[in-house]
Amino acid sequence: MKTRAITGFFFIIVMLASVLLGPYVFTGFYLLLTVLCLQEFYKVLKQSSINPNLSVGLLNGAYIFAAVASVYYLQPTQSHKLLLLIAITSCLILVNELFKESPTPFTNIGFTYLGLVFAVVPFCFFHALGFVHGYFNGHLPMAFLLMLWANDTGAYLTGRWLGRTKLFERHSPKKTWEGFFGGVAIAAAVGFIISIYFKELQWRQWVSVAIIIGCVGTLGDLVESMFKRSLNIKDSGGILPGHGGLLDRFDGLLLAAPVVYTYLYFITN
């Protein structure tokens, strides 16, 4: 428990610092985090006798994130050219398999592409939260993290205290409906508190974002649990002592970040 608490403390400090230290640190940090999460995804698959294209997959993951992020740093004509090159780099996944002797080449190709969708695309959307107004503003990604952590903590505490009715026992036996509603309520309360200090959105919009994070983030947690159960593993990795892997810590973000960005894009434009 002590190890878990110490790891959690430093994890929170690093995550908040990545948002507060400006756009370049923010972009660089999440580029690194994206690559590490994708690497973790591929390594877990390799432990289960699935052989995704690790090097080409990681190259594509880093390039996709960097190309999408370039939209906020370069002129449109330059950034659009970088985005178009994704069509070429992604083809390398198919071509690379031609030179490998594998009885299941398209399984390898499919899981390589799945890693890009599962681990890279969500972080592209989360990074975009920092630029949703057209310029860098760390308040939105910071608030997202605070509400995500509030939902996770609220669901855990409420579930332990009041949890009776299983939410989705087949994939996550410990989750309950009581914990789910408790997590959403606490996230909404944190969203309201955030609205007092961060004026980019109205309080109703902050609370709406919190509810989206609570609902969709829980689905992301369940999807990641389904992924681990399909491979018969407990944790996605061991990089965070007492907490498991990076995918274990960001499972709620994987589905919530794209939905929250879409919501904010429409209400701010």
Side-chain angles (χ1 to χ4, degrees):
M1 190 66 180
K2 182 179 179 181
T3 300
R4 182 181 176 86
I6 294 173
T7 302
F9 174 77
F10 283 105
F11 175 78
I12 291 172
I13 295 298
V14 171
M15 294 301 296
L16 293 180
S18 70
V19 175
L20 295 172
L21 292 177
Y24 296 107
V25 172
F26 178 69
T27 299
F29 177 79
Y30 281 96
L31 170 60
L32 175 61
L33 191 58
T34 298
V35 173
L36 291 175
C37 285
L38 183 59
Q39 182 184 41
E40 188 174 271
F41 180 85
Y42 288 149
K43 283 189 174 182
V44 167
L45 290 174
K46 284 182 175 291
Q47 293 172 8
S48 303
S49 301
I50 301 171
N51 192 29
N53 298 316
L54 180 63
S55 57
V56 179
L58 292 177
L59 174 66
N60 270 275
Y63 183 77
I64 289 171
F65 185 94
V68 174
S70 72
V71 171
Y72 306 108
Y73 293 99
L74 302 177
Q75 295 297 322
T77 53
Q78 297 173 313
S79 61
H80 291 170
K81 289 176 182 177
L82 293 177
L83 288 170
L84 286 172
L85 287 176
I86 293 175
I88 297 175
T89 61
S90 62
C91 287
L92 294 175
I93 296 172
L94 295 163
V95 174
N96 185 66
E97 198 66 30
L98 291 172
F99 299 93
K100 295 171 60 179
E101 295 184 7
S102 171
T104 56
F106 281 94
T107 299
N108 301 337
I109 292 169
F111 277 103
T112 304
Y113 280 117
L114 177 61
L116 300 178
V117 174
F118 189 74
V120 177
V121 172
F123 281 105
C124 289
F125 277 101
F126 179 78
H127 174 266
L129 285 176
F131 299 87
V132 74
H133 293 295
Y135 55 88
F136 179 70
N137 184 345
H139 288 175
L140 288 172
M142 183 192 301
F144 181 100
L145 292 174
L146 292 174
M147 290 183 283
L148 182 66
W149 297 334
N151 176 71
D152 290 344
T153 303
Y156 173 75
L157 295 176
T158 308
R160 289 198 62 180
W161 180 36
L162 298 173
R164 298 291 184 275
T165 311
K166 299 298 182 182
L167 175 63
F168 215 124
E169 190 170 9
R170 180 156 57 94
H171 295 303
S172 188
K174 294 182 179 180
K175 280 187 170 50
T176 63
W177 279 104
E178 293 83 359
F180 167 73
F181 286 118
V184 172
I186 292 175
V190 170
F192 179 77
I193 294 171
I194 288 172
S195 71
I196 298 173
Y197 300 97
F198 295 168
K199 300 299 183 180
E200 289 81 3
L201 303 174
Q202 299 175 7
W203 74 266
R204 297 179 185 84
Q205 294 168 338
W206 280 119
V207 172
S208 296
V209 169
I211 293 173
I212 292 172
I213 291 172
C215 295
V216 184
T218 300
L219 291 175
D221 192 336
L222 290 170
V223 167
E224 207 254 347
S225 295
M226 178 176 65
F227 169 68
K228 290 189 294 185
R229 285 183 174 275
S230 70
L231 300 177
N232 197 30
I233 60 173
K234 181 180 179 182
D235 296 320
S236 62
I239 194 171
L240 300 172
H243 288 264
L246 290 171
L247 291 174
D248 294 322
R249 291 304 92 208
F250 291 103
D251 49 9
L253 180 148
L254 298 177
L255 292 187
V259 177
V260 168
Y261 176 82
T262 302
Y263 169 74
L264 292 176
Y265 181 84
F266 280 113
I267 68 170
T268 57
N269 290 277

